[in-house]
């Protein structure tokens, strides 16, 4: 316990500090992320996506401007990858900060991807409309099972994301929140 007694707690990061730290360390997947950095970056991603989809709705639905010839679905997909990638990297770093493996995050996300794969697989295999997926009991059961697994793991990850940093050094490096007192 002696090693954690000499530690001082650094103040929370501001919005700008959190984004700067996240973007500078974007390619470092083996780092620890403080709670404040994680939540500020999550907010930035939500704002980005809200503005992106808000503009899309405004232009296409309200102003009746057809953007499909200007920026097709693949370009729109490319524009939403950066915030999702930032959020995923920050989520894994947040789990590292409490000495948890990033497979917890994968457990939350992979079932959602499998739902899409199961639904699209059914559509392509049967050559039917996507709305007919729910008419097949087995496909519906698989989708419900995967959704429930993802929901449970999402709640577990949210609890992990809210936990305080490990004070001592863990498997992923020294604490970004607690530093040794220089007395």
């Amino acid at each position: 316990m002696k090693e954690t007694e000499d530690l001082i707690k650094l103040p929370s990061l501001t919005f700008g500090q959190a984004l700067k730290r996240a973007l500078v360390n974007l390619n470092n997947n083996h780092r620890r992320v403080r709670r404040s950095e994680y939540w500020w970056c999550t907010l930035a991603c939500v704002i980005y996506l809200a503005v992106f989809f808000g503009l899309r709705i405004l232009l296409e639905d309200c102003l009746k401007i057809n953007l499909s010839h200007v920026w097709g679905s693949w370009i729109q997909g490319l524009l939403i990858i950066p915030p999702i990638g930032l959020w995923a990297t920050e989520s894994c770093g947040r789990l590292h900060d409490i000495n948890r493996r990033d497979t917890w995050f994968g457990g939350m996300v992979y079932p959602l991807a499998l739902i899409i794969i199961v639904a699209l697989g059914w559509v392509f295999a049967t050559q039917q409309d996507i709305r007919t997926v729910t008419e097949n009991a087995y496909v519906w059961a698989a989708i419900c099972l995967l959704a429930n697994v993802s929901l449970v793991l999402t709640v577990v990850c949210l609890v992990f994301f809210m936990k305080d940093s490990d004070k001592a050094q863990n498997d992923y490096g020294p604490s970004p929140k607690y530093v040794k007192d220089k007395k």
Side-chain angles (χ1 to χ4, degrees):
M1 190 66 183
K2 179 70 175 131
E3 74 179 52
T4 60
E5 290 175 3
D6 312 355
L7 299 177
I8 57 171
K9 178 180 154 188
L10 297 175
S12 294
L13 297 175
T14 64
F15 184 75
Q17 291 171 329
L19 281 179
K20 181 179 178 186
R21 187 171 189 266
L23 293 173
V24 165
N25 293 307
L26 193 57
N27 63 344
N28 183 1
N29 293 330
H30 198 75
R31 71 184 183 101
R32 294 174 63 172
V33 172
R34 295 179 61 183
R35 264 188 308 196
S36 57
E37 179 183 344
Y38 172 76
W39 291 112
W40 281 124
C41 289
T42 300
L43 177 65
C45 293
V46 169
I47 290 170
Y48 175 94
L49 292 171
V51 168
F52 175 78
F53 286 111
L55 283 173
R56 183 173 170 259
I57 289 169
L58 174 72
L59 294 173
E60 288 187 350
D61 295 343
C62 297
L63 300 177
K64 305 293 184 209
I65 298 172
N66 184 4
L67 297 175
S68 60
H69 66 282
V70 177
W71 58 338
S73 298
W74 65 275
I75 293 178
Q76 293 178 37
L78 288 177
L79 290 173
I80 65 170
I81 288 174
I84 293 172
L86 176 66
W87 174 72
T89 302
E90 291 291 298
S91 297
C92 292
R94 183 73 202 114
L95 290 167
H96 292 168
D97 192 38
I98 58 168
N99 211 23
R100 301 278 183 200
R101 297 186 64 195
D102 44 10
T103 50
W104 283 97
F105 176 74
M108 177 178 76
V109 175
Y110 292 143
L112 297 176
L114 287 173
I115 289 172
I116 294 168
I117 291 168
V118 166
L120 291 178
W122 170 256
V123 169
F124 291 127
T126 61
Q127 297 296 314
Q128 295 180 16
D129 193 312
I130 190 74
R131 292 175 290 236
T132 62
V133 168
T134 57
E135 294 174 5
N136 184 303
Y138 296 114
V139 173
W140 184 242
I143 288 173
C144 288
L145 175 68
L146 291 170
N148 285 320
V149 167
S150 181
L151 178 66
V152 168
L153 289 171
T154 299
V155 171
V156 169
C157 282
L158 278 173
V159 170
F160 287 161
F161 294 155
M162 289 186 255
K163 283 184 69 175
D164 193 18
S165 300
D166 284 351
K167 291 184 179 182
Q169 181 164 333
N170 66 21
D171 296 340
Y172 301 97
S175 174
K177 181 176 181 179
Y178 299 99
V179 294
K180 289 198 187 267
D181 194 4
K182 297 182 182 179
K183 289 182 184 178

